[in-house]
Amino acid sequence: VQLVESGGGLVQAGGSLRLSCATFGLPFEDYAIGWLRQAPGKKRMGLACVETDDNDTYYEELLEGRFTISTDTAKKTVYLEMHNLKVEDTGMYICAANHIDCSGWGDGSGYDKWGRGIQVTVSA
């Protein structure tokens, strides 16, 4: 099983990015998949999670609606659309999967499969 993130990079504040999490060897519709952020010196934070069987979604309230999680079942890929990016959004963005549901998505404790992460840097 592999989760492979892509789409990160450097963006100016106010800009947008779309991250992708491609899954390999995963029974996609049996899993919940989410995104987390790890910033230097800060606690890992769950950003969003989606239950792929019924598309129930969960979001960190602090994001203020700027991020959207979505799925492409045919491609077995989960996306994170990020808009109006802020300098404080800088960090390593990690895709993770839970074989049951989005329980524990907020601190990442519910996930049992992890990607390596991809860096997003937002400049002032």
Side-chain angles (χ1 to χ4, degrees):
V1 173
Q2 276 191 302
L3 305 175
V4 181
E5 301 95 338
S6 62
L10 176 65
V11 64
Q12 284 192 321
S16 299
L17 277 177
R18 186 178 80 159
L19 304 182
S20 299
C21 172
T23 69
F24 301 92
L26 192 78
F28 190 76
E29 293 183 348
D30 292 341
Y31 272 74
I33 298 177
W35 287 94
L36 306 96
R37 181 170 69 210
Q38 179 72 66
K42 294 186 178 179
K43 191 178 177 181
R44 183 177 65 194
M45 182 172 77
L47 303 174
C49 183
V50 59
E51 294 174 350
T52 58
D53 57 350
D54 57 12
N55 270 326
D56 279 351
T57 55
Y58 304 83
Y59 290 97
E60 166 57 53
E61 289 184 2
L62 291 174
L63 298 177
E64 300 175 323
R66 298 182 295 117
F67 293 9
T68 302
I69 192 168
S70 63
T71 63
D72 185 328
T73 301
K75 294 182 178 179
K76 296 187 177 183
T77 298
V78 174
Y79 303 99
L80 186 70
E81 294 265 4
M82 306 185 293
H83 299 286
N84 190 22
L85 283 161
K86 304 177 181 181
V87 172
E88 52 264 40
D89 291 319
T90 294
M92 182 70 72
Y93 283 68
I94 307 162
C95 173
N98 178 325
H99 71 283
I100 299 176
D101 57 23
C102 283
S103 298
W105 70 273
D107 61 4
S109 62
Y111 296 117
D112 47 65
K113 309 291 183 194
W114 294 82
R116 292 189 173 185
I118 193 162
Q119 180 68 29
V120 171
T121 302
V122 184
S123 63

